[in-house]
Amino acid sequence: MKITAIKPYPAWIGHRNQLIVKVETDEGVFGWGESGLSGREKAVVGAIEHYREFLIGRDPMQIGALWQEMYRSQYFEGGRVLQAAISALDIALHDIKGKALGVPVYQLLGGKHRDRIPTFASTSIEPSAAMVEQAKELKARGWNAIRFFPVGDTDGVHEPRESIAATAPWLIKAREELGDEVVLGIDYHHRLSVAETASFCQKLPSGTLDFLEEPIRDETPEAYESLRTMTDVPFAIGEEFASKWQFLPYIERGIHQFNRIDICNVGGLTEAMKVAGWSEAHYVDMMPHNPLGPICTAATIHFAAAVPNFCWLETRASPAENYMGAGESPLFPSQPHLDGATYPVSDAPGLGIEVDERAIAAQSFRFWEAPHWKRRDGSVTNW
């Protein structure tokens, strides 16, 4: 079997682009992958086109060797753009191999540990009484892990101190209303400094939160180490990491407790399995990032089935969000669907997903930018 074509499709789906990739072979078997670098899809398409030059004619079954060649054979290896491209191609190669062998992808990863994949759901309302009621509805529908978002911007202006002051009381109220049996977390989307995060945690009674996601930027592990000494709230970190090497200091130094690994950014299933094994040795649980499309969801379900140290998969398809029409797009005739608060693990060969290629190809690409937030003094801050 040989690779005959690699086709990237940056397509506007919902309110953002999804970059999906088709890899074809001379035996008629093909695979689908997805890139996770939202907002910079053109850059990833360019990287895929470079890889295509030497992947055409190669054996798609040699996934590990092709991964090493894509990563190591360019001198300037790594980085989020290149790894997002490798991720999409790696996922597609796993889809091909599973289909060719007639087995689901999880069998390529060692078999499954679980038949159903627990998820956490997120509220879609800013901290308020309505947010608490929405969380109670999610609990009633079966979710025992729920994530909140903080108070955000006002007309593009975001002041971290104002946000934490307005957010903290509602988290305390949510814990009171939801009880101790529900896992509660919040994603601060790296909008805070170390000092601001410490102040935020100090406003919350111990036990209010079960995880704090991405409170500060991740470039400097030492900053997280400093923050680790100031709070006992478990950290969920890693959705931006583009290799096992970026996870290294966090795992080895015991900085965090949950890995927010993104299959479509870290280097695909090949790299994700290495991070999972490393994490298992240090008692860090996998809590995958999954805000993209159905291909990412399908690939992450197989990953979640195949690793022992797994807790929850992010879903954006709960009744509270249905983010980007998750789980509903007619562009994907066969795709994962929630059964209550869990995803059943598909036993179909490959990823178990189908794509309407003609409809995807007809979708136009649109330039999209994440919000550019500023503080009241005019300086730039994180979204």
Side-chain angles (χ1 to χ4, degrees):
M1 185 185 296
K2 303 295 181 185
I3 297 173
T4 56
I6 297 175
K7 301 176 179 177
Y9 292 106
W12 187 265
I13 301 173
H15 68 272
R16 192 188 294 184
N17 295 298
Q18 290 177 25
L19 174 52
I20 65 174
V21 178
K22 184 183 185 185
V23 178
E24 298 177 349
T25 71
D26 60 353
E27 295 187 12
V29 182
F30 57 86
W32 291 99
E34 184 172 4
S35 158
L37 197 61
S38 299
R40 297 295 180 262
E41 295 86 3
K42 289 275 191 177
V44 181
V45 168
I48 290 170
E49 290 172 347
H50 281 286
Y51 288 134
R52 182 173 61 194
E53 291 299 300
F54 66 82
L55 289 176
I56 299 295
R58 305 296 293 277
D59 181 358
M61 305 290 273
Q62 303 303 316
I63 299 174
L66 291 178
W67 194 101
Q68 291 292 327
E69 189 169 349
M70 284 188 284
Y71 188 87
R72 298 170 69 179
S73 298
Q74 56 200 354
Y75 185 72
F76 296 103
E77 61 270 285
R80 289 178 173 132
V81 172
L82 297 179
Q83 286 296 90
I86 292 174
S87 297
L89 293 166
D90 181 87
I91 292 167
L93 293 178
H94 278 86
D95 193 23
I96 288 172
K97 191 167 187 174
K99 290 174 179 174
L101 297 176
V103 299
V105 163
Y106 68 75
Q107 293 288 20
L108 308 179
L109 307 178
K112 62 181 176 179
H113 291 266
R114 52 191 61 83
D115 299 316
R116 307 177 72 82
I117 307 303
T119 68
F120 75 78
S122 303
T123 56
S124 59
I125 302 172
E126 282 204 345
S128 61
M131 179 199 77
V132 176
E133 289 304 310
Q134 191 177 58
K136 290 167 70 175
E137 176 64 21
L138 287 170
K139 179 184 176 182
R141 288 175 175 264
W143 271 277
N144 60 11
I146 298 170
R147 180 181 67 173
F148 302 110
F149 294 108
V151 170
D153 71 313
T154 302
D155 297 325
V157 173
H158 178 71
E159 281 294 334
R161 293 282 179 179
E162 295 175 12
S163 174
I164 63 178
T167 299
W170 288 110
L171 296 180
I172 297 170
K173 182 66 173 176
R175 174 58 75 191
E176 292 173 352
E177 293 286 327
L178 293 163
D180 290 333
E181 70 275 15
V182 180
V183 170
L184 300 181
I186 188 168
D187 178 7
Y188 241 107
H189 222 244
H190 64 230
R191 295 170 187 167
L192 304 179
S193 68
V194 171
E196 289 160 352
T197 306
S199 294
F200 173 64
C201 292
Q202 289 163 4
K203 296 179 187 299
L204 302 173
S206 181
T208 302
L209 290 178
D210 295 295
F211 67 87
L212 174 56
E213 181 181 347
E214 309 279 357
I216 66 174
R217 288 166 57 183
D218 61 44
E219 293 95 335
T220 305
E222 291 77 10
Y224 260 110
E225 278 190 308
S226 175
L227 183 58
R228 178 73 288 161
T229 68
M230 302 179 191
T231 178
D232 60 358
V233 180
F235 292 151
I237 306 168
E239 67 188 54
E240 298 176 275
F241 292 174
S243 75
K244 54 183 166 285
W245 293 285
Q246 282 189 279
F247 278 101
L248 185 154
Y250 290 88
I251 296 172
E252 294 290 343
R253 299 181 196 173
I255 295 173
H256 70 324
Q257 290 66 49
F258 299 105
N259 267 340
R260 294 286 283 127
I261 193 167
D262 190 318
I263 304 295
C264 297
N265 280 328
V266 77
L269 291 160
T270 297
E271 190 80 336
M273 290 300 291
K274 295 175 182 178
V275 175
W278 203 352
S279 300
E280 181 189 1
H282 290 80
Y283 306 102
V284 177
D285 284 337
M286 310 306 291
M287 184 171 151
H289 183 240
N290 179 43
L292 301 172
I295 296 173
C296 178
T297 300
T300 311
I301 287 171
H302 286 279
F303 168 77
V307 299
N309 52 322
F310 170 82
C311 51
W312 309 281
L313 169 61
E314 175 179 358
T315 181
R316 309 304 296 271
S318 79
E321 284 194 301
N322 199 20
Y323 182 78
M324 294 178 68
E328 303 296 334
S329 175
L331 301 175
F332 302 91
S334 179
Q335 61 184 295
H337 292 281
L338 282 168
D339 181 11
T342 65
Y343 281 112
V345 179
S346 171
D347 289 324
L351 293 175
I353 192 165
E354 296 178 11
V355 179
D356 186 337
E357 185 176 4
R358 182 176 297 180
I360 289 286
Q363 299 295 113
S364 59
F365 172 83
R366 306 184 202 175
F367 280 100
W368 174 87
E369 279 290 315
H372 293 198
W373 285 0
K374 293 187 177 182
R375 301 185 66 166
R376 295 194 193 284
D377 62 7
S379 61
V380 174
T381 190
N382 289 331
W383 167 60

